[in-house]
Each structure stands twice: as C-alpha cells, then as structure tokens.
Amino acid sequence: MLSVSANGNLPTPGLNVMSEHKLKKMMEQNNYLKHQLDQQRVPISQASQMLIKYVTTTRDYLVPSVWGSPNTNDLFAAKGAGCECNVM
C-alpha cells in the first residue's frame, strides 16, 4: 500500500531518488569539510617568518643585484663572439 504525503498526493519514485542524491551530495560535502578541518594549520606570523628566512637564505640568481652572478657554467648565459651552432 502506498502512503499519502502531507499534501494528499501520492509519492513519486523520482522524489526518493532526488532525496537520495541530495543526501549523497551532502555527505560528500561533509566528508570534504572534515578533511579540510583535519589539515595542519600554520599561523600567519609563523608562515611569514618562514618565508622571510627562506628568501634571505636561498640564493636566487634571477636577482643578480642582490646575489651576484653564479660561479657555475650557465648554459643560458650569453656566449662570446662567433657562432656555436651545430648543423646536422
């Protein structure tokens, strides 16, 4: 026997499927939010100090005015006079 809803209409099978779909989506969202809540957080003051320490101790040769030129052979540095092209 089918039960009658509060407004007197018979329930439709599609309504139950929609409710299950909404419940599934809500459960997925809830699990996602729980996962986000479990992630480790770093206070902004600590993150700022870590960033400042990294920037001041790690050499960045793309800023030669601060760190100077690298002492290694740079493959992308400008070459001397003459063409060093290889033709195959």
Side-chain angles (χ1 to χ4, degrees), residues 30-60:
N30 193 18
N31 288 334
Y32 173 75
L33 292 173
K34 284 181 182 179
H35 176 70
Q36 289 291 320
L37 185 62
D38 290 338
Q39 286 186 348
Q40 181 183 2
R41 305 282 188 227
V42 177
I44 189 67
S45 58
Q46 183 182 355
S48 299
Q49 289 174 349
M50 290 167 52
L51 182 60
I52 290 169
K53 181 181 176 185
Y54 175 80
V55 169
T56 56
T57 58
T58 305
R59 291 185 170 267
D60 184 1

Side-chain angles (χ1 to χ4, degrees), residues 16-28:
N16 194 22
V17 172
M18 289 298 292
S19 296
E20 289 176 6
H21 180 69
K22 285 183 181 180
L23 177 62
K24 181 180 175 187
K25 284 293 196 182
M26 288 175 66
M27 294 298 286
E28 288 174 359

Side-chain angles (χ1 to χ4, degrees), residues 79-84:
K79 302 293 181 184
C83 179
E84 296 182 17

